[in-house]
Amino acid sequence: MSTYLIPLIMIGGLTSAGVYLLLERNLTRMLLGLLLIGNAINLLILTVGGPSGNPPIRGRTSEGQTTTADPLAQGMILTAIVITFGIAAFVLAMTYRSYRLTTEEEVGDDPEDARVSEIAAKDAVTIEEDRLRADAARDTDEPDELDALPGHEGSR
């Protein structure tokens, strides 16, 4: 089986452009990135689906074809198109709702999420300070129960 280079380059270009657009904070660019990645996946499925051939219908033939084409790739592409359309409709609805609420398309940082992360950071610092205080209070030069264990420096 021979692999053609042009579809592979197109798949790579569509995927990289889609990922670049998905990393933007603008919802319209995110939607375009999802559509580009969906098209790249469809092209990938078509490329991996195998060579063309006779239609998978009994009694039908194409001129010069000796094998029958695999209909699974075409069915998977149709399914992927429907899934991409559903995701695009959902992201478009989110974009519209966000624009109606904030009159902006940019996805900002969530203030509640920032507040929770600040509280978590303060709690982590407090827990670390308490642990250090407990270690400092426990570490004295007085004999402990561990000092009597063999091989411990305090037992010498």
Side-chain angles (χ1 to χ4, degrees):
M1 180 177 141
S2 64
T3 305
Y4 298 104
L5 190 61
I6 300 223
L8 296 176
I9 292 172
M10 288 174 56
I11 291 168
L14 286 172
T15 303
S16 60
V19 167
Y20 174 76
L21 288 173
L22 270 176
L23 294 175
E24 296 287 326
R25 282 180 129 3
N26 190 329
L27 287 173
T28 303
R29 290 184 181 178
M30 288 174 144
L31 176 63
L32 290 174
L34 282 172
L35 294 175
L36 284 177
I37 288 179
N39 288 333
I41 289 172
N42 292 342
L43 189 58
L44 177 68
I45 293 172
L46 184 65
T47 303
V48 189
S52 60
N54 290 324
I57 301 171
R58 214 169 255 276
R60 300 273 177 114
T61 58
S62 293
E63 49 188 70
Q65 300 292 334
T66 58
T67 61
T68 303
D70 186 15
L72 181 64
Q74 297 169 12
M76 289 177 67
I77 289 173
L78 287 174
T79 304
I81 289 170
V82 171
I83 291 170
T84 302
F85 180 73
I87 290 172
F90 178 69
V91 171
L92 194 59
M94 282 188 352
T95 303
Y96 176 72
R97 178 74 176 158
S98 173
Y99 183 76
R100 293 283 297 194
L101 288 175
T102 63
T103 65
E104 289 181 6
E105 271 191 272
E106 296 289 324
V107 177
D109 293 331
D110 187 20
E112 182 66 20
D113 190 32
R115 186 183 69 80
V116 168
S117 64
E118 285 176 11
I119 291 173
K122 287 178 184 175
D123 288 345
V125 168
T126 305
I127 290 171
E128 183 66 22
E129 288 173 353
D130 290 345
R131 187 186 65 80
L132 290 174
R133 274 193 221 112
D135 287 346
R138 192 178 58 190
D139 188 25
T140 62
D141 288 335
E142 297 175 10
D144 292 352
E145 64 272 1
L146 293 178
D147 290 340
L149 293 176
H152 192 271
E153 289 183 18
S155 62
R156 291 183 184 175

